[in-house]
């Protein structure tokens, strides 16, 4: 452990290289995670759960997708523990391997027709590994950015790793858009595997970039002064339950919005409304491209006008827009659906997502910060993102329309706004 600290005490990494390392790394990890979600909507119900009726097969496919999000709190717990005890950098490198290897293996999996139910079992196990990896990666990436930044740049730098989410989504959407343009039999035979196998090249790039970044100065200071604690996660639950619960509540709305659009809407619009897959994928692509600019802009203005204020504005806009957006989905009008996707995912979502890292980091002290922010975000991801496609599908089946889905998302936005309002206001000396 001491050798790790010594080796990390190298000259500080330039801020531009830190930014590049966090963006590249998170892009790669989210690419791996998102291609599974796209495949869940387009492929897995046919290849891994073909014995079910269409609705049950879709739910089974979404449940397999959700397993990855339910595994994210475990990743937050494990990686948060060692990130607070050993260091942020080593956890980021480990998470890349834990994400990349299962992703490549998914691309090699035999299907139900070849090995029966074991195909689904193996798919679930590999998805759990993905979930653990992404659950541990996020906290380390945003802390490397925030803790390397100067006081006045924490909000902007904290938003930069978040750019990896739309960037990963863009790459995964483009790759799947190309793959799905193949003839249907070719796509189902081997075309869907290409996005997963391509991950091996991206992982090598990510490891190279992240290996060049020095350890977080804030962590090194806490380590040197003996402020680390034996069980950081336990400290979070016992001494900081309020910030943890507020972080979970504030996260629920945006993560639910994200997975409703990228998984449920994709599946519903293509299979139920008959809109071409390429049209919806391109709509998501437009929204994600807008996010590339809106997320750092959100981080910048949050640094100027207040993290809680910008985040809160995002929750208010989502509470207002959620119902009209999902009513637009029920019309079946392709242009209306595209506008709803772009406005909600490309315009409203970044206001919350960009301000999140610096705001959450300020709620916990350095010695438990990796654990605190990881557990808050990953529990919300499991509850909100993991259940979103399942709840939406269930509400649709029960009511026959999409109004209830919009009300469900709007209610979460109100909850998020109240949680942000109750959070501690970040101070310049917080970190």
């Amino acid at each position: 452990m001491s050798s790790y600290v010594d080796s990390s005490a190298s000259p500080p990494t330039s801020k531009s290289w830190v930014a590049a390392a966090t963006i590249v790394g998170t892009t790669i990890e989210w690419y791996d995670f998102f291609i599974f979600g796209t495949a869940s909507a387009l492929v897995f119900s046919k290849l891994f759960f073909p014995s079910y009726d269409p609705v049950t097969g879709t739910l089974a496919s979404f449940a397999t997708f959700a397993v990855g999000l339910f595994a994210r709190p475990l990743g937050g717990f494990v990686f948060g523990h060692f990130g607070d005890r050993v260091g942020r950098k080593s956890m980021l490198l480990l998470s890349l391997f834990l994400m990349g290897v299962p992703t490549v293996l998914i691309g090699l999996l035999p299907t139900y027709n070849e090995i029966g139910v074991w195909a689904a079992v193996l798919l679930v196990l590999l998805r759990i590994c993905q979930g653990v990896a992404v659950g541990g990666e996020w906290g380390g990436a945003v802390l490397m950015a925030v803790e390397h930044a100067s006081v006045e740049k924490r909000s902007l730098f904290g938003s930069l790793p978040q750019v990896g989410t739309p960037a990963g989504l863009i790459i995964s959407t483009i790759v799947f858009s190309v793959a799905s343009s193949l003839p249907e039999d070719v796509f189902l035979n081997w075309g869907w595997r290409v996005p997963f196998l391509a991950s091996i090249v991206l992982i090598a790039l990510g490891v190279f970039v992240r290996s060049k970044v020095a350890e977080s100065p804030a962590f090194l200071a806490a380590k040197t002064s003996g402020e680390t604690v034996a069980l950081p996660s336990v400290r979070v639950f016992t001494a900081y339950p309020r910030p943890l619960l507020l972080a979970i509540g504030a996260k629920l709305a945006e993560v639910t919005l994200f997975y409703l659009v990228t998984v449920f809407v994709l599946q519903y619009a293509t299979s139920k409304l008959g809109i071409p897959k390429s049209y919806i994928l391109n709509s998501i692509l437009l929204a994600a491209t807008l996010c590339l600019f809106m997320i750092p802009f959100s981080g910048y203005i949050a640094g100027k006008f207040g993290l809680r204020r910008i985040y809160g504005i995002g929750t208010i806009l989502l509470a207002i827009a959620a119902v009209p957006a999902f009513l637009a989905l029920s019309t079946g009008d392709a242009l209306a659906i595209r506008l709803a996707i772009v406005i909600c995912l490309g315009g409203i979502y970044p206001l919350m997502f960009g301000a999140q890292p610096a705001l959450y980091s300020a709620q916990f002290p350095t010695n438990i910060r990796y654990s605190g922010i990881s557990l808050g975000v990953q529990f919300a991801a499991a509850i909100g993102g993991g259940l979103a496609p399942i709840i939406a599908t269930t509400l649709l089946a029960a009511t026959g329309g999409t109004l209830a889905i919009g009300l469900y998302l709007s209610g979460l936005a109100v909850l998020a706004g109240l949680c942000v309002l109750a959070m501690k206001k970040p101070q310049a000396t917080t970190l």
Side-chain angles (χ1 to χ4, degrees), residues 148-221:
H148 270 282
S150 58
V151 172
E152 65 275 9
K153 295 292 182 65
R154 285 173 186 159
S155 179
L156 174 60
F157 267 70
S159 70
L160 295 181
Q162 305 289 71
V163 173
T165 302
L169 181 61
I170 288 170
I171 297 172
S172 65
T173 302
I174 290 174
V175 172
F176 252 104
S177 182
V178 173
S180 63
S181 67
L182 294 169
E184 184 74 8
D185 59 332
V186 176
F187 175 63
L188 292 176
N189 184 30
W190 60 264
W192 70 272
R193 299 180 182 274
V194 175
F196 291 90
L197 297 176
S199 178
I200 192 168
V201 177
L202 299 177
I203 295 300
L205 173 63
V207 170
F208 170 76
V209 174
R210 282 190 167 174
S211 66
K212 304 296 182 180
V213 179
E215 180 56 89
S216 154
F219 169 78
L220 288 177

Side-chain angles (χ1 to χ4, degrees), residues 52-323:
Y52 298 115
D53 64 83
V55 174
T56 305
T58 298
L59 285 172
S61 181
F62 284 164
T64 304
F65 165 77
V67 164
L69 286 108
F70 293 141
R72 283 171 62 171
L74 176 60
F77 176 83
V78 174
F79 281 78
H81 174 85
F82 290 103
D84 284 326
R85 293 280 298 162
V86 178
R88 298 13 176 160
K89 177 179 175 178
S90 57
M91 295 302 101
L92 290 182
L93 291 172
L94 179 60
S95 68
L96 274 174
F97 284 109
L98 188 58
M99 174 64 80
V101 173
T103 301
V104 173
L105 291 177
I106 289 171
L108 299 173
L109 270 184
T111 64
Y112 181 90
N113 288 337
E114 295 167 308
I115 60 172
V117 71
W118 284 106
V121 171
L122 292 173
L123 185 66
V124 169
L125 291 176
L126 292 173
R127 182 58 172 175
I128 290 173
C129 291
Q130 281 193 324
V132 171
V134 80
E137 194 272 347
W138 180 85
V142 301
L143 288 186
M144 287 291 276
V146 171
E147 293 177 349
H148 270 282
S150 58
V151 172
E152 65 275 9
K153 295 292 182 65
R154 285 173 186 159
S155 179
L156 174 60
F157 267 70
S159 70
L160 295 181
Q162 305 289 71
V163 173
T165 302
L169 181 61
I170 288 170
I171 297 172
S172 65
T173 302
I174 290 174
V175 172
F176 252 104
S177 182
V178 173
S180 63
S181 67
L182 294 169
E184 184 74 8
D185 59 332
V186 176
F187 175 63
L188 292 176
N189 184 30
W190 60 264
W192 70 272
R193 299 180 182 274
V194 175
F196 291 90
L197 297 176
S199 178
I200 192 168
V201 177
L202 299 177
I203 295 300
L205 173 63
V207 170
F208 170 76
V209 174
R210 282 190 167 174
S211 66
K212 304 296 182 180
V213 179
E215 180 56 89
S216 154
F219 169 78
L220 288 177
K223 184 79 173 180
T224 302
S225 61
E227 295 177 7
T228 56
V229 297
L231 297 172
S233 294
V234 173
R235 177 71 64 87
V236 171
F237 284 111
T238 57
Y240 293 86
R242 186 173 185 272
L244 176 63
L245 291 174
L246 291 176
I248 293 172
K251 174 73 177 178
L252 280 174
E254 58 92 348
V255 73
T256 299
L257 165 65
F258 188 90
Y259 286 107
L260 281 177
V261 172
T262 59
V263 180
F264 172 77
V265 172
L266 174 61
Q267 191 276 335
Y268 178 79
T270 55
S271 66
K272 300 298 182 183
L273 302 179
I275 298 174
K277 290 192 291 287
S278 60
Y279 186 89
I280 300 301
L281 288 172
N282 288 335
S283 299
I284 294 173
L285 184 61
L286 286 172
T289 302
L290 182 57
C291 276
L292 288 179
F293 303 96
M294 282 295 296
I295 288 173
F297 175 71
S298 172
Y300 174 77
I301 61 173
K304 297 292 184 182
F305 301 105
L307 291 160
R308 294 191 305 169
R309 179 173 295 141
I310 299 304
Y311 201 126
I313 290 173
T315 66
I316 293 170
L317 292 176
L318 180 58
I320 295 171
V323 170

